[in-house]
Amino acid sequence: MAGANMSELVSAARSFEDVLKGKYPAKTHARKVKEWIVKNGGDEKGTLYLESARKKLLEDSDSEAPFRQRRYFFYLSGCELADSYLTYEMSTEKLTLFIPPVEPDEVIWCGLPMSTEQAKQKYEVDDVRTTTDINPYLTSSNTSPQTTIYAIANQVSDDITFLSYKEKDFTLLKPAIETGRVIKTPYEIALIRKANDISTAAHINVMRAVKSSHTEAELYGVFLKSCIERGSKEQAYHSIVAAGENGATLHYVHNDDTTTGKDVLLLDAGCEVDCYASDITRTFPISGEFSKESAQIYAIVLQMQKQCIAALKAGIKWDDIHELAHRIAIQGLLDLGILRGDANEILAARTSVAFFPHGLGHYLGLDTHDTGGNPNYKDSDPMFRYLRLRGIVPAGSVVTVEPGIYFCRFIIEPYLRDERQRGFIDEGVLERFWSVGGVRIEDNILITEEGCENLTPTPKEMEEVRGIVNGQS
C-alpha cells in the first residue's frame, strides 16, 4: 500500500495516540484514488470533485437533523464540516478545501465557524477557500479546462457548474474511493484502535452493571455514557442490547425489554472516532453465572472465533474462513446432540445455516460495513448469501470476525418441517436451548502478511467475563 509497510500498520495499531498527533492522511488517500482512476483508463490530468453532507432540518421542524459526514468526502479531506467542497487536481496533486464563510446571523446562534486559516492548520490540504469561491475556481483557467472532472452521481449540487471541463465522468470516482478504503493507512488503523479502546471500556462497564440491572435500556444508557465521557459522541451503528431470547434476533434494536430472569445478554455495540468505526460483540451472563446450556454454546462460538482468527493472513479467501466457522459449529452442535448425523452431510445440506445464518464478518473502517467487500446477496447458496465480504483479503485491511449460534424459532422451525433437514436436528435436545437466545463474539482484526493483529482488547474468555460481571475484576 502507498506510504506504509505492514510493520508500520501494526505499530500504529499499538500506539494510536502518537500516530493521531499528526494529520489525517488526505493527500495519501487522494493519490491512491488518482492511481486507481488512471489505471482504469482515466485522465491523469483530470480533477476530482467532492461535496460534504449538507445540514438538514428535521421533517416538519425547524430543528437540525443529526449530522453525519459523507464518507467519500471525508476520505479525501479528513474534514468534518458540513456544506463544504473539495477539489483535487490530479496533474499537480493540489488538494483544495472550500468551507462555509462567516454568516453573521449564524454566528449569533452558533458562534464563529472555523476560519480558512484554522482549516489550513488542521487538515492536510494545500489551500483553503470559502464556498463562495467554488464556481469561480472550477471555471478558472488554473483548473485545467478541456480535461475531465470526476464526481459522484447524485452528489453534485444543482448550482455547481462543470462547463469548463471537456468531459464529465460520474463512474470512476466512487469505485476508486471504495477500493482505496479497503487497505488502511497507519492513521486509519490508529483511529479504529482508539474506537476499540473506548468501546472496550464501555463493554466492561455494561458487564459490571448487568447483574444489578432490570432493563436493556439501563445497560444501553451505560454504554452510551461510557463512550461520551471518553470523547466519543457518535455510535458507529445502533447498539444491540438483547437479553435472553431477544439475542436470537440478529439486529435487535428495541433495547427496552426486561433483563430479569434472562440467561445471557448479547451486547453488539461500538463507538466511532473521527468517522471510523469499532464493531464489538460480547455475550455474558446476566445473573453472573452461565447456565449449562449457554456455557456450552459460548464455548463453541469462542472456538469458532479463535480458530478462524488463527487462520487469517493476507491472501486468504474469506469464503473459506466462513466455511471453517460452519464446520466448527457443526461439530460443536453434534457433540451437544442438537445436530445428528454425518458432519459433511450436514454441511452439504446447509443445516448449520439454521443456527448460524449470517456472514462471519465484513470490512470495517469509515463505515461499520465498509466498502470493497463485493457481497452477492443473490447467491443461491444460503451459507454464503449474507456474507458481506467475498474473495481474497489483502494485508492492511481490517475485518470483523463475529461467529454466532442462535436459537431463533422463526428461522429454525421451517427446518424442522423440512423432511430432509429435520433428520439432522434432534428436537428433544434443541428444546433445552431456546432460552439461550443467541451467542455472538466479535473482534476487529487487522490483516498482515504473516497473520493478523487483534485490535479489540475487550475480555471474552468465559471466566474473565464471569469475573467482571461478579465484580471480581
Side-chain angles (χ1 to χ4, degrees):
M1 61 171 288
N5 59 38
M6 194 48 52
S7 63
E8 289 175 319
L9 287 171
V10 174
S11 175
R14 291 172 176 159
S15 56
F16 59 84
E17 292 294 0
D18 288 340
V19 177
L20 297 180
K21 291 176 182 177
K23 292 184 179 182
Y24 183 85
K27 296 205 71 172
T28 297
H29 294 170
R31 291 187 196 102
K32 289 171 67 175
V33 170
K34 168 190 170 181
E35 289 168 5
W36 191 95
I37 289 175
V38 172
K39 183 179 178 181
N40 285 271
D43 180 359
E44 63 182 7
K45 295 182 179 180
T47 298
L48 310 183
Y49 173 84
L50 289 159
E51 295 187 2
S52 75
R54 298 284 186 178
K55 288 182 180 178
K56 296 179 181 179
L57 297 181
L58 293 169
E59 188 173 359
D60 301 326
S61 172
D62 64 354
S63 296
E64 281 190 11
F67 178 76
R68 185 179 190 272
Q69 184 58 285
R70 188 172 273 162
R71 268 34 183 179
Y72 297 101
F73 174 86
F74 190 89
Y75 185 69
L76 264 68
S77 69
C79 176
E80 73 281 10
L81 300 177
D83 305 320
S84 300
Y85 308 99
L86 187 78
T87 62
Y88 179 71
E89 297 167 33
M90 293 166 63
S91 60
T92 62
E93 298 191 344
K94 182 181 180 182
L95 193 61
T96 305
L97 177 64
F98 300 81
I99 64 174
V102 174
E103 296 286 353
D105 288 344
E106 285 292 312
V107 174
I108 295 172
W109 302 102
C110 304
L112 284 168
M114 183 181 292
S115 69
T116 55
E117 292 79 12
Q118 290 170 325
K120 182 74 177 293
Q121 183 69 26
K122 182 174 182 179
Y123 306 120
E124 190 184 60
V125 295
D126 298 299
D127 191 16
V128 181
R129 305 186 181 197
T130 63
T131 52
T132 55
D133 289 337
I134 184 62
N135 273 325
Y137 186 86
L138 290 171
T139 56
S140 72
S141 59
N142 295 329
T143 55
S144 302
Q146 306 307 310
T147 61
T148 305
I149 189 154
Y150 295 94
I152 296 175
N154 302 315
Q155 293 189 11
V156 179
S157 299
D158 292 340
D159 59 340
I160 295 298
T161 178
F162 294 153
L163 293 177
S164 67
Y165 291 89
K166 183 178 180 180
E167 302 289 344
K168 305 170 189 64
D169 185 289
F170 296 96
T171 63
L172 289 179
L173 181 54
K174 185 177 181 181
I177 294 174
E178 290 179 345
T179 302
R181 283 167 56 175
V182 171
I183 297 177
K184 306 298 190 287
T185 57
Y187 197 97
E188 292 175 285
I189 297 297
L191 288 172
I192 295 171
R193 180 57 182 268
K194 183 174 182 178
N196 267 265
D197 270 27
I198 293 172
S199 295
T200 289
H203 272 267
I204 291 172
N205 284 341
V206 175
M207 291 180 193
R208 288 171 175 160
V210 70
K211 195 172 179 180
S212 61
S213 71
H214 299 286
T215 67
E216 296 165 345
E218 292 176 53
L219 301 173
Y220 185 25
V222 170
F223 191 90
L224 295 178
K225 175 180 181 294
S226 299
C227 293
I228 292 170
E229 66 188 8
R230 287 167 174 78
S232 176
K233 297 180 181 179
E234 304 296 334
Q235 295 295 294
Y237 53 96
H238 193 296
S239 300
I240 298 167
V241 189
E245 292 191 27
N246 293 333
T249 300
L250 301 184
H251 282 177
Y252 174 83
V253 293
H254 298 295
N255 300 348
D256 59 3
D257 202 356
T258 180
T259 57
T260 305
K262 306 289 180 62
D263 191 345
V264 294
L265 185 90
L266 189 156
L267 176 63
D268 186 338
C271 73
E272 68 178 39
V273 173
D274 292 344
C275 295
Y276 279 79
S278 58
D279 186 0
I280 303 170
T281 308
R282 291 295 183 264
T283 308
F284 39 93
I286 294 171
S287 69
E289 300 294 337
F290 287 96
S291 68
K292 177 183 177 181
E293 289 76 18
S294 61
Q296 290 172 326
I297 299 303
Y298 193 97
I300 296 171
V301 175
L302 187 58
Q303 281 306 306
M304 291 167 70
Q305 198 207 38
K306 285 183 174 181
Q307 291 188 42
C308 287
I309 290 174
L312 294 178
K313 65 178 181 178
I316 59 95
K317 187 178 181 182
W318 188 253
D319 310 53
D320 294 340
I321 306 300
H322 178 67
E323 181 175 319
L324 172 63
H326 271 271
R327 289 185 179 277
I328 299 165
I330 288 168
Q331 189 56 57
L333 295 174
L334 280 169
D335 292 343
L336 294 182
I338 295 173
L339 293 180
R340 58 192 177 191
D342 179 78
N344 289 327
E345 291 180 6
I346 292 170
L347 180 68
R350 300 308 196 228
T351 312
S352 55
V353 175
F355 301 92
F356 178 27
H358 61 78
L360 179 64
H362 48 80
Y363 283 136
L364 181 74
L366 279 168
D367 284 306
T368 305
H369 300 151
D370 212 15
T371 58
N374 300 312
N376 178 14
Y377 298 126
K378 295 182 179 180
D379 197 322
S380 60
D381 188 334
M383 197 171 86
F384 295 103
R385 185 175 302 143
Y386 299 116
L387 194 57
R388 289 190 169 96
L389 172 55
R390 305 293 294 265
I392 303 302
V393 180
S397 61
V398 176
V399 298
T400 66
V401 180
E402 49 181 304
I405 291 177
Y406 311 87
F407 298 92
C408 177
R409 294 180 186 274
F410 182 81
I411 297 175
I412 294 174
E413 286 178 350
Y415 283 74
L416 299 178
R417 294 191 295 268
D418 182 275
E419 185 174 348
R420 181 190 184 197
Q421 296 288 356
R422 68 188 181 195
F424 294 122
I425 303 172
D426 189 317
E427 291 188 57
V429 178
L430 173 62
E431 190 64 31
R432 304 202 316 266
F433 288 85
W434 292 115
S435 63
V436 174
V439 172
R440 181 163 67 249
I441 305 171
E442 177 181 16
D443 290 349
N444 306 160
I445 308 296
L446 169 65
I447 303 298
T448 67
E449 292 290 353
E450 300 79 21
C452 63
E453 176 85 6
N454 195 327
L455 306 181
T456 305
T458 318
K460 62 184 176 184
E461 294 297 331
M462 194 178 301
E463 284 307 306
E464 188 177 11
V465 167
R466 179 181 168 278
I468 294 171
V469 172
N470 286 301
Q472 297 167 3
S473 60

